[in-house]
């Protein structure tokens, strides 16, 4: 069974940093592009970033470029999102996901990040 | 303001057929396939339709998708109370180099 489990969320002050992790199991992690998607309270889905199988290609939504960094460790079947210079508008549930535009899309349960003083 | 435009709400009575539209442009829907997701409050989204019109196993054939030009649609026939959910379209935008979601449509079963 495919499982994606996010961790590392919580409350952080504006300007602070947080690192999210996603532990993957039940599929061949190293052969899949991986994504981060977020959802602000009461709002719709917003794609944040993705990373190629070997980490050689990464894409970001404009609002997080220069502040967020996506990375992966295929030996540990893990995906990461380093979030710096956090703003109130980054407050959201963050989902780890894969194959979002394919036939086998999978999502984690999500982790809440709250940016507030 | 989402790159893909969906109506914020839709409604129907049990047994009816409803459609949800997703309008984009030549850089996204016009050149890439569309997936549809549904999401219940407090839960992660789930895949409903992939590659414009394909249903994953387990999704009832009451759900169907289509695409024409720069627009896509999700149709739900024989509406049931459990279909009440938020629905999102998604595709890749080749000009922006980002994955884009529609703003979401809240479906109410009256």
């Amino acid at each position: 069974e495919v499982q994606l489990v996010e961790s590392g969320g919580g409350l952080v002050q504006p300007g602070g940093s947080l690192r999210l992790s996603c532990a993957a199991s039940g599929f061949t992690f190293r052969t899949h592009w991986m994504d981060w998607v977020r959802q602000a309270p009461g709002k719709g889905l917003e794609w944040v970033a993705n990373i190629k199988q070997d980490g050689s290609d990464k894409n970001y939504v404009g609002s997080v470029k220069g502040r967020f960094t996506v990375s992966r460790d295929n030996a540990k079947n893990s995906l990461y999102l380093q979030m710096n210079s956090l703003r109130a508008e980054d407050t959201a549930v963050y989902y780890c996901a894969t194959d979002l535009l394919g036939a086998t899309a999978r999502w984690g349960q999500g982790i809440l990040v709250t940016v507030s003083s | 303001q989402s790159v893909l435009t969906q109506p914020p709400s839709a409604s129907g009575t049990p047994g009816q057929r409803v459609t949800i539209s997703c309008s984009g442009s030549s850089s996204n829907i016009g050149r890439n396939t569309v997936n549809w997701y549904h999401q219940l409050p407090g839960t992660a989204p789930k895949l409903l339709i992939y590659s414009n019109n394909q249903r994953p196993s387990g999704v009832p054939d009451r759900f169907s998708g289509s695409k024409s030009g720069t627009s896509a649609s999700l149709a739900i026939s024989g509406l049931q109370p459990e279909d009440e959910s938020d629905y999102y379209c998604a595709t890749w935008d080749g000009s922006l180099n980002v994955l884009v979601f529609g703003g979401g449509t809240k479906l109410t079963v009256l």
Side-chain angles (χ1 to χ4, degrees):
Chain A
E1 178 193 3
V2 172
Q3 278 204 314
L4 296 169
V5 180
E6 302 92 341
S7 60
L11 175 64
V12 60
Q13 291 189 339
S17 297
L18 212 55
R19 189 196 196 206
L20 302 183
S21 298
C22 172
S25 61
F27 67 105
T28 310
F29 179 78
R30 67 179 184 277
T31 64
H32 284 70
W33 279 80
M34 295 297 299
D35 299 79
W36 287 100
V37 177
R38 68 184 179 183
Q39 187 169 33
K43 302 296 184 182
L45 302 171
E46 181 183 37
W47 177 84
V48 174
N50 68 2
I51 183 168
K52 195 176 178 180
Q53 290 91 331
D54 62 358
S56 62
D57 192 10
K58 305 173 186 181
N59 298 288
Y60 299 92
V61 69
S63 59
V64 309
K65 276 183 183 176
R67 300 190 300 123
F68 289 14
T69 302
V70 60
S71 62
R72 64 192 297 162
D73 185 336
N74 288 340
K76 295 183 178 180
N77 287 345
S78 293
L79 175 71
Y80 306 101
L81 186 67
Q82 178 66 43
M83 304 185 293
N84 299 331
S85 303
L86 282 161
R87 307 166 181 167
E89 54 265 35
D90 295 318
T91 293
V93 172
Y94 285 74
Y95 294 98
C96 164
T98 187
D99 201 24
L100 283 176
L101 298 179
T104 57
R106 294 289 188 269
W107 298 66
Q109 84 285 354
I111 190 88
L112 178 62
V113 171
T114 303
V115 184
S116 174
S117 54
Chain B
Q1 191 83 9
S2 301
V3 171
L4 303 181
T5 302
Q6 295 181 235
S9 63
S11 63
T13 56
Q16 271 191 329
R17 182 178 188 271
V18 297
T19 61
I20 297 171
S21 61
C22 175
S23 176
S25 69
S26 59
S27 65
N28 42 65
I29 293 178
R31 66 172 74 166
N32 294 302
T33 60
V34 176
N35 277 18
W36 287 90
Y37 290 90
H38 69 122
Q39 182 184 33
L40 293 171
T43 68
K46 290 183 180 178
L47 182 64
L48 196 58
I49 296 288
Y50 68 94
S51 294
N52 303 326
N53 55 19
Q54 302 298 304
R55 280 177 287 105
S57 61
V59 173
D61 59 6
R62 303 187 294 104
F63 294 88
S64 62
S66 63
K67 186 184 110 168
S68 178
T70 59
S71 292
S73 290
L74 173 71
I76 309 171
S77 60
L79 200 61
Q80 297 183 3
E82 57 264 34
D83 298 334
E84 194 162 280
S85 182
D86 293 328
Y87 292 83
Y88 296 90
C89 55
T91 189
W92 185 258
D93 190 295
S95 292
L96 300 173
N97 239 21
V98 297
L99 191 152
V100 288
F101 287 99
T105 299
K106 183 176 184 62
L107 175 64
T108 301
V109 181
L110 303 169

